[in-house]
Amino acid sequence: MRLAIFTGPSLSHAEARAILPDANVLPPAARGDVYRAARMGAEVIALIDGVFEMVPAVMHKEVLWVLSEGIDVYGASSIGALRAAELHSFGMIGHGKIYEAYRDGQIDADDEVAVLMGPAELGYPALTEPMVNIRATLALAVEQGVIPQSSADALIAIGRSMFFKERTFSALFDQSRSVVDIGDLETWLPDGRVDQKRADAIDLLRRISGDRTSGDGGHRPTFQFVATSIWLQVKQRIDRELKMEQDGAPAG
């Protein structure tokens, strides 16, 4: 079984390969990359991380095309969780707490999972803190009696108001200190911080490993795929690039 995994900030490539050694581990997905992976022979695709803003994000339509071909597409952690929540009724397989929060309407904003990401040469490190991690960390802090629920609620409201490229715990504390009682949260944080995106990514890959062992999966489409003009433009571009690569010509 050929498996493609798109990951970066949420889970390192080395960590992904440690769980699924035979997988083709790829950078965060951009528009067309999920379709490209399917065209290059992937039978199972795990979408964890993706790019957006300056680069077009993974299209719903390309995931639907892949699903319509009977290829399993799993999603968790970041854009994978978001797309799975949007497309689970069409057969995309979502996994993890972040996916469930999107699916159940507990969160709905794209920037809940967004981070400022470092370069490929450094392994796509997350340079800021995603809101989903802040929520999970504050929930644990409340559970352990570090701060009261009222302080957690206030910190979440302030965190939500911050631009995702500036959202760090340090910046959150700086903006909150004068209006919120954060107690011992700063000294607790180094050991208490919850990386929910990483946890969900690990759980997803372990689930895929288990599904492969048990023979689960084997998605069968239950919908009729309808192409749109924008989708056809993307598809034709990638098909042209793939042909040029196969012919040994530079893809211009």
Side-chain angles (χ1 to χ4, degrees):
M1 182 183 294
R2 298 178 182 179
L3 168 63
I5 303 171
F6 292 97
T7 188
S10 297
L11 190 70
S12 73
H13 286 200
E15 289 174 307
R17 291 191 183 98
I19 300 171
L20 292 166
D22 62 336
N24 184 16
V25 185
L26 302 165
R31 176 166 297 181
D33 285 347
V34 171
Y35 170 71
R36 173 185 280 268
R39 287 278 285 106
M40 294 182 71
E43 298 173 5
V44 176
I45 296 173
L47 177 61
I48 296 173
D49 289 309
V51 295
F52 67 103
E53 196 177 33
M54 302 302 293
V55 179
V58 171
M59 296 175 70
H60 299 81
K61 207 69 175 179
E62 68 182 288
V63 176
L64 288 172
W65 183 91
V66 173
L67 291 171
S68 75
E69 294 294 304
I71 297 169
D72 286 337
V73 184
Y74 292 77
S77 298
S78 194
I79 195 172
L82 183 59
R83 289 291 179 267
E86 294 162 337
L87 299 174
H88 69 94
S89 62
F90 294 92
M92 187 171 177
I93 304 166
H95 187 80
K97 292 182 178 180
I98 298 169
Y99 157 70
E100 291 170 359
Y102 272 122
R103 181 198 63 194
D104 298 342
Q106 296 170 9
I107 57 175
D108 56 14
D110 292 4
D111 79 333
E112 286 275 346
V113 294
V115 296
L116 180 62
M117 182 171 59
E121 294 79 8
L122 297 179
Y124 311 100
L127 304 178
T128 55
E129 198 72 40
M131 197 63 215
V132 290
N133 283 2
I134 292 174
R135 289 180 185 274
T137 299
L138 294 177
L140 181 62
V142 171
E143 180 182 324
Q144 295 187 356
V146 180
I147 56 172
Q149 185 64 56
S150 58
S151 292
D153 292 342
L155 287 167
I156 288 170
I158 294 169
R160 285 291 305 123
S161 71
M162 298 171 68
F163 182 41
F164 79 91
K165 290 184 178 180
E166 300 170 354
R167 192 182 281 147
T168 64
F169 275 110
S170 177
L172 176 60
F173 294 153
D174 286 344
Q175 290 196 27
S176 307
R177 205 180 314 274
S178 62
V179 292
V180 181
D181 179 9
I182 62 174
D184 296 325
L185 188 58
E186 284 183 282
T187 55
W188 171 89
L189 184 65
D191 293 327
R193 175 182 172 270
V194 178
D195 190 343
Q196 194 61 55
K197 290 180 71 172
R198 180 175 181 273
D200 281 6
I202 290 172
D203 284 348
L204 173 67
L205 299 191
R206 287 174 176 167
R207 173 179 175 174
I208 292 172
S209 179
D211 286 353
R212 297 172 77 184
T213 300
S214 65
D216 287 344
H219 166 78
R220 295 293 178 268
T222 59
F223 62 94
Q224 181 73 35
F225 179 81
V226 178
T228 61
S229 58
I230 293 176
W231 160 245
L232 290 174
Q233 291 174 15
V234 173
K235 181 179 183 297
Q236 289 165 4
R237 173 181 62 78
I238 297 171
D239 288 343
R240 184 169 60 250
E241 291 172 354
L242 287 171
K243 185 177 187 307
M244 295 177 72
E245 290 168 11
Q246 292 168 357
D247 293 344

